[in-house]
Amino acid sequence: MPKDRMQYVCDECGHTSTEWLGNCPNCGSWHSFKEFKVERKTKSEKEHKGKVEGLDKSPDPQKLEEIESQSDDRFISKIQELDRVLGGGFVSGSFVLIGGDPGIGKSTLTLQIGKANPDLKILYCAGEESAGQIKQRAKRLGVNSDNFYVYTDTDINKVLKEARKLDPDLLIVDSIQTVYRTELTSMAGSIQQVKECAALLQQLAKKQDITTLVIGHVTKEGSIAGPRVLEHMVDTVLQFEGDSNYNYRMLRSLKNRFGPAQEVGVFEMKQSGLVDVLNPSQLFLSDYDSSVSGNAVICSIEGSRPLLVEVQALATPSNYGTPQRTANGFDHRRLSLLLAVLEKRGGYQFSGQDVYLNVAGGLKVNDPAADLGVVCALVSSLLDESIDSKIAFLGEVGLGGEIRAVNQVDQRLGEIEKMGFGKAIIPKASSPERNHDLQFLGVSNIMAAIKKAL
């Protein structure tokens, strides 16, 4: 009887090693190696491994010009924001992965597809809830479809068998960490099980032309759990973002082979489920108070959509030897950089100040065009002078204090104008290509921008 051996696999990239390593030589991550047992197989077992009934047939090679194109073969979920992020709906035979924090709305969104489009035949494989619990939640969400099937077995071979028998338009697996293959000795959720089950689901999607939507857990750092290879195997990676203390949720496409990446859809969580937010700028600015110092409005591009967001800054004298720097929804290192630029190029002293920065609504802003608004909000709080309520900001700040050009200026100005703002402070190098009714003020450095803002 062959003996088992131990193997170590990087949790981030899937790199394998015969011994534990503190630093992964492939991706550079630290303390990411996990130990699991590799069962020794006999020759007959090796020949049988990987073969699943109905999925072990290989197609013959085809000439490129003989392959039938299915570029327009899509079906929509009838959830506008979801279809927007997917690039116009689900592509038949695609393999989609959706991740997010616990309780953010992943299962809710997938259940609502059955409500929005009752004509779709959906097979919902649940590994975390019983059929009765799913029925209760579906009743609360208003899901009433004769084409919605629930299956609660987590054996991947049985899931594949039921999917081939039912032939649904959409297969939903909730979640990939709960399904397992009996041929493997490791527990469900392990790296080996996740990779193997995902590979079988990928074969099902491509060979049987069944669109498959898989829900994945996330790590403490916020990335999708399991080896990085899981994200490489799928066609589309969707990430749910949002703070559990707020009702707003953002669905972002991190990867999409059939549409634009980094596209964003905005939802609001209500008692009846997730509701599309078609005008997110109005939602994020609903509590904006221009009379308070440190408040500024920035225009950020999320995917192809411009969003107006409120940035709140607070600078207060520090009671400790080392001032605190706290950022919520904004990169902490970027905040330190902007404070250094303000001290060096603008002469504003923040060395004795505790600085707090918050992006209202629980939104995470990564657009460099937010720099100018953040800088003006910081100075506004330091001087305790409020910014004009009709001014919005867009511009990237360089290390020399210069204001650099940003992309999609006309789209940003159009959103600013639509939301009723009369002025926009923009980089002098960014010239709009069409006329706008609002007044835009071009600035070349932070001192000029601060002077116009205050």
Side-chain angles (χ1 to χ4, degrees):
M1 184 74 180
K3 293 183 178 179
D4 298 341
R5 62 185 175 88
M6 304 309 297
Q7 196 173 54
Y8 299 87
V9 178
C10 176
D11 206 16
E12 295 294 329
C13 67
H15 180 75
T16 59
S17 173
T18 56
E19 59 182 0
W20 186 86
L21 300 174
N23 177 248
C24 177
N26 186 46
C27 66
S29 58
W30 287 89
H31 306 297
S32 59
F33 276 88
K34 301 292 188 298
E35 180 185 35
F36 72 92
K37 185 184 294 183
V38 179
E39 184 179 359
R40 297 281 188 179
K41 299 288 184 179
T42 63
K43 184 177 180 180
S44 60
E45 288 174 330
K46 288 180 179 178
E47 291 176 354
H48 180 73
K49 182 183 178 182
K51 293 184 178 180
V52 177
E53 183 183 353
L55 298 179
D56 55 352
K57 297 178 181 179
S58 299
D60 297 328
Q62 294 177 275
K63 291 183 179 180
L64 182 63
E65 58 268 17
E66 295 176 353
I67 300 175
E68 295 182 5
S69 175
Q70 298 179 341
S71 58
D72 297 328
D73 192 8
R74 289 179 182 263
F75 61 90
I76 61 175
S77 66
K78 295 187 179 179
I79 300 177
Q80 292 188 35
E81 293 297 290
L82 176 59
D83 290 331
R84 175 191 182 98
V85 175
L86 291 170
F90 289 100
V91 174
S92 296
S94 61
F95 190 21
V96 181
L97 171 66
I98 178 171
D101 294 329
I104 203 167
K106 303 183 296 297
S107 301
T108 299
L109 179 64
T110 52
L111 270 178
Q112 286 186 223
I113 298 175
K115 174 185 177 182
N117 196 343
D119 295 331
L120 279 181
K121 184 188 287 187
I122 299 174
L123 175 60
Y124 189 96
C125 297
E128 300 181 349
E129 295 176 284
S130 66
Q133 291 171 331
I134 294 172
K135 172 68 175 179
Q136 290 179 356
R137 191 150 51 88
K139 185 177 180 181
R140 175 175 59 85
L141 297 173
V143 181
N144 186 17
S145 172
D146 293 333
N147 294 320
F148 198 99
Y149 298 84
V150 178
Y151 187 64
T152 56
D153 201 311
T154 54
D155 184 344
I156 189 64
N157 293 329
K158 295 181 180 179
V159 170
L160 297 174
K161 181 180 178 181
E162 292 298 326
R164 291 197 307 273
K165 183 169 66 176
L166 188 62
D167 191 24
D169 298 313
L170 180 63
L171 169 64
I172 300 173
V173 179
D174 185 9
S175 65
I176 188 63
Q177 277 81 15
T178 60
V179 293
Y180 66 94
R181 191 174 185 190
T182 54
E183 290 82 357
L184 302 177
T185 57
S186 53
M187 295 179 61
S190 67
I191 298 171
Q192 193 179 21
Q193 289 280 9
V194 167
K195 289 175 64 177
E196 186 76 13
C197 294
L200 292 174
L201 289 170
Q202 182 193 41
Q203 293 181 47
L204 176 74
K206 303 306 176 185
K207 293 184 179 181
Q208 303 292 325
D209 200 32
I210 297 175
T211 303
T212 304
L213 176 62
V214 171
I215 295 176
H217 295 167
V218 297
T219 62
K220 285 185 274 187
E221 291 77 21
S223 59
I224 297 175
R228 205 69 178 177
V229 69
L230 181 62
E231 297 183 32
H232 297 316
M233 292 170 62
V234 301
D235 299 313
T236 304
V237 179
L238 305 181
Q239 181 81 13
F240 243 131
E241 300 174 357
D243 194 324
S244 58
N245 296 320
Y246 295 92
N247 292 330
Y248 317 131
R249 303 286 188 269
M250 295 190 68
L251 185 66
R252 188 188 305 272
S253 62
L254 303 181
K255 168 189 174 182
N256 194 352
R257 288 176 179 157
F258 312 113
Q262 297 301 323
E263 188 60 83
V264 168
V266 183
F267 298 90
E268 184 176 6
M269 179 65 81
K270 295 186 177 180
Q271 182 67 26
S272 58
L274 290 163
V275 179
D276 295 311
V277 177
L278 303 180
N279 188 3
S281 294
Q282 185 176 5
L283 185 68
F284 288 124
L285 293 178
S286 58
D287 298 323
Y288 174 55
D289 186 359
S290 60
S291 63
V292 179
S293 64
N295 290 0
V297 174
I298 62 171
C299 187
S300 172
I301 290 286
E302 298 293 339
S304 62
R305 164 185 278 170
L307 293 179
L308 293 189
V309 185
E310 179 187 357
V311 173
Q312 300 173 323
L314 178 63
T316 179
S318 176
N319 294 323
Y320 305 97
T322 303
Q324 297 185 52
R325 303 285 185 261
T326 304
N328 183 28
F330 192 78
D331 187 11
H332 184 272
R333 292 168 296 182
R334 190 73 182 173
L335 173 60
S336 299
L337 183 149
L338 295 177
L339 289 172
V341 171
L342 281 172
E343 289 197 357
K344 182 73 174 181
R345 309 300 180 187
Y348 295 98
Q349 295 300 316
F350 287 90
S351 57
Q353 303 282 326
D354 288 336
V355 176
Y356 305 93
L357 186 70
N358 177 53
V359 179
L363 186 67
K364 295 179 181 178
V365 175
N366 298 312
D367 191 352
D371 290 352
L372 184 56
V374 170
V375 163
C376 292
L378 290 168
V379 176
S380 169
S381 178
L382 181 68
L383 303 179
D384 201 20
E385 296 181 18
S386 60
I387 297 173
D388 189 348
S389 62
K390 294 299 180 181
I391 294 181
F393 299 88
L394 57 103
E396 180 182 358
V397 176
L399 292 180
E402 75 279 9
I403 308 300
R404 295 180 175 271
V406 295
N407 60 355
Q408 304 183 52
V409 175
D410 283 294
Q411 278 186 270
R412 298 175 193 263
L413 292 178
E415 183 71 11
I416 293 171
E417 182 181 338
K418 186 179 77 173
M419 293 305 299
F421 287 81
K423 299 178 183 178
I425 297 181
I426 67 174
K428 186 171 285 187
S430 296
S431 302
E433 297 179 358
R434 58 186 177 86
N435 295 327
H436 298 272
D437 292 336
L438 78 165
Q439 178 185 3
F440 50 88
L441 310 172
V443 293
S444 57
N445 56 68
I446 57 172
M447 295 306 296
I450 293 169
K451 184 177 180 181
K452 292 181 182 296
L454 301 178

